[in-house]
């Protein structure tokens, strides 16, 4: 079982959005996922209610996630996705301690990029692999990424943050899908949003394989702490 934790001290960076879209992308009856909403704001819980299918399963956590993670393992869950609040609440550190890998979403702005450092320190302290994912970015033009995305990458490189080479573009489809309780692929299977979420998932899988010692490490985006 693998545990993917979405963490960043910046509200609005895309933790809940990525957790919901990736879970919808991955969940199959044969490969069950569990969502853990550890944010009292309850964004993921709201999406799950709108979804109305109870699949993937969702549990809420206020103080710790360890017991939920252990139970998921016993139940044969393959992937656990944990959404966390943008605070210093102990549940964030607890989630990171239970992570296979931590995803740190960041919008491509100066303040946003700078704010990932605190979460990186938490990952390093817990010796957990992590990667930054640029989210809410302007769309690429003719397959060339926007200047502000390039600048964000340069800033992240300065503090040696591992960053996914792709981006999740700011797309209405991602929002509209959430409003229907869906993931990007369910909402518009051939859309660009679905294709970016699919690519992000492939990168996470490559990293997790490498972390588990099962892959070549080629294309892995994380840094082991
Ligand atoms: N790539 C994106 N495209 C469009 N809207 C986005 C994108 N990422 C996030 N949003 C929207 O921005 C807001 C904040 O995102 P959210 O996932 O709630 O951030 P966090 O959980 O980190 O606080 C939400 O309304 C969300 O749907
Ligand atoms: Mg959130």
């Amino acid at each position: 079982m693998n545990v993917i934790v979405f963490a960043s001290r910046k509200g609005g960076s895309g933790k809940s959005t990525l957790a919901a879209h990736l879970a919808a992308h991955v969940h199959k009856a044969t490969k069950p996922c569990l969502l853990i909403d550890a944010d009292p704001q309850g964004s993921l819980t709201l999406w799950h209610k709108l979804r109305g299918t109870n699949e993937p399963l969702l549990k809420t956590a206020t103080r710790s996630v360890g017991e939920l993670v252990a139970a998921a393992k016993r139940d044969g869950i393959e992937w656990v996705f944990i959404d966390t609040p943008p605070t210093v609440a102990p549940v964030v550190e607890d989630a990171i301690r239970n992570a296979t890998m931590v995803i740190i979403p960041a919008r491509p702005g100066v303040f946003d990029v700078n704010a990932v450092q605190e979460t990186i320190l938490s990952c390093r302290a817990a010796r957990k692999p992590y990667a930054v994912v640029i989210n809410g970015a302007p769309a690429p033009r003719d397959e060339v990424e926007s200047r502000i995305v390039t600048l964000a990458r340069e800033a992240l490189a300065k503090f040696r943050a591992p960053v996914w080479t792709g981006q999740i573009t700011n797309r209405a489809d991602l929002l509209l899908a959430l409003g229907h309780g869906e993931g990007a692929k369910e909402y518009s299977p051939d859309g660009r949003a679905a294709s970016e979420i699919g690519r992000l998932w492939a990168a996470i899988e490559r990293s997790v394989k490498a972390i588990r010692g099962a892959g070549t490490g080629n294309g892995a985006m994380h840094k082991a702490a």
Side-chain angles (χ1 to χ4, degrees), residues 36-97:
I36 299 179
D37 190 353
D39 184 356
Q41 212 167 58
S43 306
L44 214 50
T45 307
L46 173 62
W47 172 78
H48 194 256
K49 274 196 191 124
L50 293 167
R51 192 169 174 81
T53 62
N54 209 24
E55 283 201 335
L57 280 174
L58 178 136
K59 308 233 173 207
T60 53
T62 44
R63 258 171 272 163
S64 68
V65 298
E67 277 174 33
L68 291 177
V69 169
K73 197 165 187 178
R74 288 195 298 273
D75 292 346
I77 299 285
E78 288 215 15
W79 293 92
V80 179
F81 297 93
I82 308 182
D83 188 21
T84 66
T87 59
V88 287
V91 74
V92 181
E93 301 297 324
D94 189 51
I96 291 174
R97 270 195 301 276

Side-chain angles (χ1 to χ4, degrees), residues 31-195:
K31 281 196 173 186
C33 293
L34 172 70
L35 283 165
I36 299 179
D37 190 353
D39 184 356
Q41 212 167 58
S43 306
L44 214 50
T45 307
L46 173 62
W47 172 78
H48 194 256
K49 274 196 191 124
L50 293 167
R51 192 169 174 81
T53 62
N54 209 24
E55 283 201 335
L57 280 174
L58 178 136
K59 308 233 173 207
T60 53
T62 44
R63 258 171 272 163
S64 68
V65 298
E67 277 174 33
L68 291 177
V69 169
K73 197 165 187 178
R74 288 195 298 273
D75 292 346
I77 299 285
E78 288 215 15
W79 293 92
V80 179
F81 297 93
I82 308 182
D83 188 21
T84 66
T87 59
V88 287
V91 74
V92 181
E93 301 297 324
D94 189 51
I96 291 174
R97 270 195 301 276
N98 279 280
T100 307
M101 179 180 184
V102 180
I103 298 294
I104 310 173
R107 291 184 182 257
V110 183
F111 301 150
D112 307 76
V113 159
N114 215 51
V116 305
Q117 293 184 83
E118 287 178 281
T119 311
I120 289 179
L121 287 179
S122 298
C123 296
R124 287 187 184 152
R127 312 190 73 77
K128 293 296 177 175
Y130 58 93
V132 176
V133 168
I134 294 178
N135 175 47
R141 277 203 191 169
D142 300 329
E143 291 178 41
V144 178
E145 70 183 14
S146 145
R147 176 100 183 105
I148 72 164
V149 173
T150 307
L151 289 174
R153 290 190 195 285
E154 285 170 12
L156 288 161
K158 278 194 190 126
F159 38 88
R160 296 166 193 263
V163 189
W164 178 43
T165 52
Q167 68 170 51
I168 302 294
T169 303
N170 190 48
R171 296 193 190 277
D173 270 9
L174 288 173
L175 274 176
L176 293 167
L178 294 181
H180 287 90
E182 290 178 333
K185 199 163 67 173
E186 295 161 324
Y187 182 75
S188 173
D190 302 320
R192 289 182 181 157
S195 131

Side-chain angles (χ1 to χ4, degrees), residues 22 79 101 103 131 133 163-166 196-211 217-222:
L22 288 167
W79 293 92
M101 179 180 184
I103 298 294
V133 168
V163 189
W164 178 43
T165 52
E196 287 179 352
I197 294 293
R199 263 181 268 164
L200 173 58
W201 179 248
I204 292 174
E205 273 196 311
R206 282 196 298 275
S207 270
V208 166
K209 267 194 188 137
I211 291 162
N218 279 349
M221 60 170 167
H222 67 282

